[in-house]
């Protein structure tokens, strides 16, 4: 029951945070002087296409851009009735993209799932790589295994993601015949799911996952190593060894399980950087996630599109963090029964 | 070793009753803590060398114009995408000093690219303290003396040339001026915000603390890059390169302070309860004096170490922003701007040297990481690690 109560509490705080974040995002989107429609009107005037202006004026009223800023925000979120009653993000109306002249929902539709897919794959990659390597580095600390993994980890932290992406892309294609560009072969776009399509997506995922996950995996590995080393220096491990417990069991039975705890807790730090990385890498590699759309929208001040994508990205990290917090409580009884705060 | 009649072993060395005290490194206990930190830091070889490297790099920034053979936007239309030239010492078996082979471009009409042919007959010896293009020395007066350059009729592109025939080696050095200082300005902004806000939260506690903590939580849960993108997209495009540079570094700092503020706050909360603080309070010290003289010095070194660890993120951030075209823009030269040229697969395949600016990024980021690690390990001079 405690867990249920904690989950509900966490869920409510997440929603509150999300509302604050949405206000922040809306504020940032309105920072640049002028907006897309004003720019468009100026451009139409300059080129003498005066008849186009009426349509733009219509759009301005339609999307309440003539209202004061705070009201615009409330209408955008769906807390305040716009020209067509309550119709904002919480009602499922994501607004209109002026740049693409289509509803935002249509533009980002499929991309949202691919974004989630890429990020989940990256998280899995981080765990799958960091877990064994971190344990190995701790178990063989101060040997070449440890130093090599530390070196590779540092290199992963220091290399700019986007270049790593380009280089791996090139060599992956040249030597391993991995596909280039996109998240699936062109013939599968817009097709329903089929085993071939899934296979194609998985093949295309290899390099992006690797690129996005490397730095996170490096950081995670170092932390796991440090935690495990702390645990291994405790007397109960010495006792276990002295009693003749085989070395593998002496590590995996208790020390490993204790050091796993921060591993789950850390996802709150990990997720924002992974999502950041996925946006950047998507732009470079032309993945059909929301990254490239975000860049276009930001460059042309397409505020509803950019705002929605920023909000979605934030929501993705917040939900991920919430799940990790709840998992942590499930995993560690000390947190569950220790009471929170106060 | 002497064996006594009762079979006990005795060391022949003279007995010194003070030895135990000496072995504790007695003088160390009286040494000022910065000396202890320095002694310990010296043992961290990787950190030490990284520190020296960074110091040299930063100190040479004002003299870049003199150190490199070309100026950053000097075009060389005859040498577009010229490949890196090797500096050699021995020509046909005899030592003639550092020289390069002059190269000439030949159009390859089949693949539509330039091929460069070395003229192996006429080695061009490098000249020193020679005249080249004008540059601003120390930002004050104009100078045209370069440490080394190629003789008349030859070129010295140590790391190749880019699509406009500009020397990549020289541009990397000029790019360092912006790419390296971005981190410094950003960290200054982040420090001021972090210490002020974290200090307020830690000192006043209560409602202020609660509010600050919620803000920190929100900011830390957001992915940085999309926010950086959004903020830099807000920079008007007609601003000059210098203004854009400052705004970008401030943006990088604006989103970095929460981590620092959190550290400052928790330190404040912990130290506030220490006995030496209470003693100072009882002796009538004002809060201002307590904070400056008693609290801050206790964790200033920790802050410096954490700053060293967050500068790389800013350097990488600038690189990423400029790479995407939302950060610095030409004619400004930074590593990110240069990498913008290496954005496509064609450059990686045909002109791999356009991606060379990646190396200084990696080296500098690694150096900051090692330096930060070294500092962090040596901050507690009384512990044995």
């Amino acid at each position: 029951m405690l867990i249920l109560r904690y989950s509900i509490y966490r869920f409510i705080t997440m929603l509150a945070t999300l509302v604050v974040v949405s206000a922040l995002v809306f504020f940032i989107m309105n920072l640049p002087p002028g907006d897309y429609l004003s720019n468009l009107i100026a451009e139409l005037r300059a080129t003498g296409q005066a008849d186009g202006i009426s349509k733009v004026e219509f759009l301005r009223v339609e999307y309440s851009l003539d209202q004061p800023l705070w009201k615009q925000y409330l209408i955008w979120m769906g807390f305040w009735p716009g020209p067509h009653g309550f119709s904002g993000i919480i009602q499922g109306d994501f607004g209109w993209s002026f740049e693409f002249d289509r509803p935002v929902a249509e533009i980002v539709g499929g991309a949202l799932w691919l974004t989630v897919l890429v990020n989940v794959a990256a998280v899995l990659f981080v765990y799958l790589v960091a877990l064994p390597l971190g344990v190995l580095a701790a178990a063989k600390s101060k040997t070449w295994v440890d130093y090599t993994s530390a070196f590779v980890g540092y290199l992963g932290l220091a290399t700019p993601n986007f270049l790593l992406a380009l280089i791996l892309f090139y060599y992956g294609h040249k030597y391993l015949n991995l596909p280039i560009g996109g998240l699936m072969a062109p013939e599968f776009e817009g097709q329903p799911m089929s085993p071939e399509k899934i296979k194609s997506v998985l093949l295309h995922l290899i390099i992006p996952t690797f690129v996005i996950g490397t730095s996170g995996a490096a950081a995670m590995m170092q932390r796991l190593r440090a935690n495990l080393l702390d645990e291994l220096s405790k007397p109960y491990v010495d006792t276990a060894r002295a009693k003749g417990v085989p070395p593998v069991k002496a590590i995996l039975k208790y020390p490993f399980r204790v050091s796993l705890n921060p591993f789950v807790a850390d996802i709150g730090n990990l997720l924002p950087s992974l999502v950041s990385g996925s946006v950047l890498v998507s732009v470079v590699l032309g993945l059909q996630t929301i990254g490239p759309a975000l860049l276009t929208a930001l460059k042309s001040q397409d505020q509803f599109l950019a705002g929605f994508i920023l909000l979605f990205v934030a929501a993705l990290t917040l939900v991920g963090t919430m799940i990790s917090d709840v998992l942590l409580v499930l995993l560690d009884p000390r947190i569950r029964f220790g009471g929170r705060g106060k | 070793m002497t064996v006594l009649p009762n079979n006990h072993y005795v060391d022949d060395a003279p007995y010194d009753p003070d030895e135990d005290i000496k072995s504790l490194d007695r003088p160390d206990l009286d040494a000022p803590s910065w000396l202890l930190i320095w002694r310990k830091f010296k043992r961290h070889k990787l950190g030490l060398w990284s520190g020296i490297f960074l110091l040299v790099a930063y100190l040479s920034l004002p003299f870049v114009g003199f150190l490199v053979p070309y100026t950053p936007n000097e075009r060389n239309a005859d040498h577009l995408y010229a490949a890196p030239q090797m500096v050699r010492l021995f020509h046909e078996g005899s030592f003639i000093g550092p020289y390069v082979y002059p190269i000439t471009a030949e159009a390859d009409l089949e693949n539509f690219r330039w091929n460069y042919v070395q003229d192996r007959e006429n080695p061009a010896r490098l000249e020193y303290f020679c005249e080249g293009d004008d540059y601003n020395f120390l930002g004050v007066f104009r100078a045209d003396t370069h440490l080394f350059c190629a003789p008349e009729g030859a070129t010295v592109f140590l790391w190749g040339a880019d699509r406009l025939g500009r020397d990549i080696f020289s541009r990397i050095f000029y790019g360092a001026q912006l790419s390296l200082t971005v981190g410094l300005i950003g960290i200054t902004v982040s420090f001021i915000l972090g210490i002020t806000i974290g200090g307020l939260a830690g000192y006043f506690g209560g409602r202020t603390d609660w509010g600050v903590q919620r803000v920190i939580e929100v900011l830390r849960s957001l992915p940085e890059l999309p926010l950086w993108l959004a903020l830099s997209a807000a920079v008007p495009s007609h601003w000059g390169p210098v203004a854009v540079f400052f705004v970008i570094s401030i943006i990088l700092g604006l989103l970095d302070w929460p981590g620092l503020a959190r550290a400052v706050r928790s330190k404040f909360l912990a130290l506030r309860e220490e006995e030496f603080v209470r003693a100072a309070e009882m002796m009538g010290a004002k809060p201002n004096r307590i904070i400056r003289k008693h609290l801050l010095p206790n964790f200033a070194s920790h802050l410096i170490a954490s700053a060293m660890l967050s500068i790389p993120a800013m350097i990488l951030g600038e690189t990423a922003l400029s790479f995407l075209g939302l950060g610095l823009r030409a004619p400004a030269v930074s590593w990110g701007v240069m990498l913008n040229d290496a954005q496509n697969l064609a450059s990686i395949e045909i002109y791999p040297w356009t991606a060379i600016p990646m190396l200084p990024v990696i080296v500098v980021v690694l150096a900051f990481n090692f330096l930060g690690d070294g500092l962090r390990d040596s901050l507690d001079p009384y512990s044995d690690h």
Side-chain angles (χ1 to χ4, degrees), chain B residues 1 21 23 84 90 113 117 120-121 180 209 229 234 268 271 278 288 321 339:
Chain B
M1 200 72 58
I21 303 172
S23 69
F90 294 93
R113 50 182 282 197
V117 193
R120 290 195 166 260
E121 297 301 308
L180 289 182
D209 186 29
L229 285 178
F268 254 92
L271 286 175
R278 200 147 325 142
N288 186 19
L321 283 181
L339 285 173

Side-chain angles (χ1 to χ4, degrees), chain B residues 38 41-42 44-60 180 308 363-375:
Chain B
W38 168 241
F41 179 66
K42 266 197 305 192
H44 197 284
K45 288 286 175 248
L46 209 51
L48 185 68
W49 284 108
S50 302
I52 294 173
F53 166 73
L54 286 174
L55 200 66
V56 170
Y58 274 96
L59 286 182
S60 61
L180 289 182
M308 289 302 150
V363 170
V364 166
V365 169
L366 280 181
F368 268 116
N369 271 316
F370 290 144
L371 176 64
D373 280 352
L375 279 178

Side-chain angles (χ1 to χ4, degrees), chain A residues 46 51 97 277:
Chain A
D51 47 337
S97 160

Side-chain angles (χ1 to χ4, degrees), chain B residues 14 17 23 44 77 89 104 123 160 163 198 211 227 234 242 301 325-326 330 341 345 384:
Chain B
S23 69
H44 197 284
L89 293 174
T104 35
R163 74 195 148 84
L227 276 187
V242 179
S301 40
L326 280 171
D341 281 349
L345 285 174
D384 298 319

Side-chain angles (χ1 to χ4, degrees), chain A residues 40-42 44-46 49-59:
Chain A
L40 191 58
I41 291 176
L44 289 176
R45 284 233 171 81
Q49 294 166 285
D51 47 337
I53 292 180
S54 60
K55 189 198 168 193
V56 179
E57 286 297 344
F58 168 75
L59 280 179

Side-chain angles (χ1 to χ4, degrees), chain B residues 7-57:
Chain B
N7 269 346
H8 286 184
Y9 291 85
V10 175
D11 198 338
D12 289 335
Y15 172 64
D16 177 4
D18 291 336
E19 197 171 34
D20 275 356
I21 303 172
K22 269 185 193 158
S23 69
L24 272 174
D25 276 346
R26 197 69 188 168
D28 269 4
L29 293 179
D30 304 328
S33 55
W34 65 263
L35 188 66
L36 298 178
I37 292 177
W38 168 241
R39 276 187 201 156
K40 195 156 181 191
F41 179 66
K42 266 197 305 192
R43 262 179 275 158
H44 197 284
K45 288 286 175 248
L46 209 51
L48 185 68
W49 284 108
S50 302
I52 294 173
F53 166 73
L54 286 174
L55 200 66
V56 170

Side-chain angles (χ1 to χ4, degrees), chain A residues 67 74 88 95 121 163 188 200 203 212 218 251 261:
Chain A
Q67 306 282 339
L74 292 178
L163 272 165
F188 292 117
S200 167
L203 262 184
I212 299 167
I251 291 176
N261 190 344

